[in-house]
Each structure stands twice: as C-alpha cells, then as structure tokens.
Amino acid sequence: MMPLDVNVNNINWMWAKQFTDGKEKTAEDIIKAIDEEKKLVRFKIVERDLMQLYRTFRITVHVDAKFGGNNLVTWIFEYKKLSGDVEDPKSLMDFCIVLTKDIEAPHLK
C-alpha cells in the first residue's frame, strides 16, 4: 500500500524512491471538488517537491463504472512547468498506477 496522510481538507502524498531518481518525493494538495454522482475528485497541488518544478499542478481522478462491471480509472494531470527543462511528471504517473492497483486488488478477490 502507498502511504497517504489524509484529513478533511488536504492530502499529503509521498511516493517512494522506486518511482523517482532515488529520492523520496512529496506533494501537498487541496481537494477542490468531489462529485459523487460523476465519481470524480479534483485536487490542486499547493506545496512541497512538485511546486519546485511546476507553476501549477492539478489532478483529476475519475472512475467510470460502465464497462461491463469493470471500473476504468482515469488520472488527468494539468500542469505548467517552471522552465522548459523540467521533465513531465512520469514518476507521479507511475505512482498513481500502483496506487490504483493497490486500491483495486481487494475488490478483485
């Protein structure tokens, strides 16, 4: 399981060394919207490691349960880099894939 420190207003993310250049990375976000009917959550990253690389960073997670009983989880990253030499957030994408699989595993049993 991936570690998340959750409270009502924000989430502190920490993705492990295997997803980065050997350094632990963190991000703190604010939950901007929760739409239970659409099964959608929107976050805005507000500080920590990600904000040293990106001017803005927003994440949307959507679950579509209309695929014959299978759920499709979509992660959308919207970001603006501070400079052109900043890489795309591949390590965070990899973390989200593993996080989704960890959440999914007990439901497949």
Side-chain angles (χ1 to χ4, degrees), residues 82-96:
L82 286 175
S83 68
D85 61 340
V86 172
E87 294 184 14
D88 292 323
K90 184 179 178 329
S91 66
L92 182 57
M93 289 184 234
D94 293 342
F95 168 79
C96 291

Side-chain angles (χ1 to χ4, degrees), residues 4-107:
L4 292 177
D5 177 18
V6 180
N7 70 36
V8 174
N9 297 313
N10 65 4
I11 297 176
N12 294 308
W13 301 70
M14 179 179 64
W15 58 109
K17 295 176 184 178
Q18 73 260 29
F19 298 110
T20 63
D21 56 0
K23 300 175 190 155
E24 210 167 69
K25 301 286 185 183
T26 61
E28 184 172 337
D29 63 59
I30 296 171
I31 298 170
K32 298 299 281 183
I34 298 174
D35 187 328
E36 291 185 28
E37 184 178 320
K38 293 182 181 179
K39 297 182 172 122
L40 180 133
V41 180
R42 286 197 174 105
F43 306 92
K44 178 181 178 184
I45 305 296
V46 292
E47 59 183 74
R48 309 250 177 124
D49 294 326
L50 275 182
M51 298 316 294
Q52 295 175 11
L53 301 170
Y54 303 96
R55 181 166 301 141
T56 61
F57 205 107
R58 282 175 252 155
I59 299 173
T60 302
V61 182
H62 175 254
V63 178
D64 190 343
K66 298 179 183 176
F67 290 94
N70 294 322
N71 294 329
L72 174 65
V73 178
T74 303
W75 292 82
I76 300 169
F77 293 176
E78 300 172 79
Y79 55 89
K80 291 184 183 176
K81 299 175 183 180
L82 286 175
S83 68
D85 61 340
V86 172
E87 294 184 14
D88 292 323
K90 184 179 178 329
S91 66
L92 182 57
M93 289 184 234
D94 293 342
F95 168 79
C96 291
I97 290 169
V98 171
L99 177 66
T100 302
K101 289 179 180 181
D102 281 353
I103 292 168
E104 173 189 53
H107 299 284

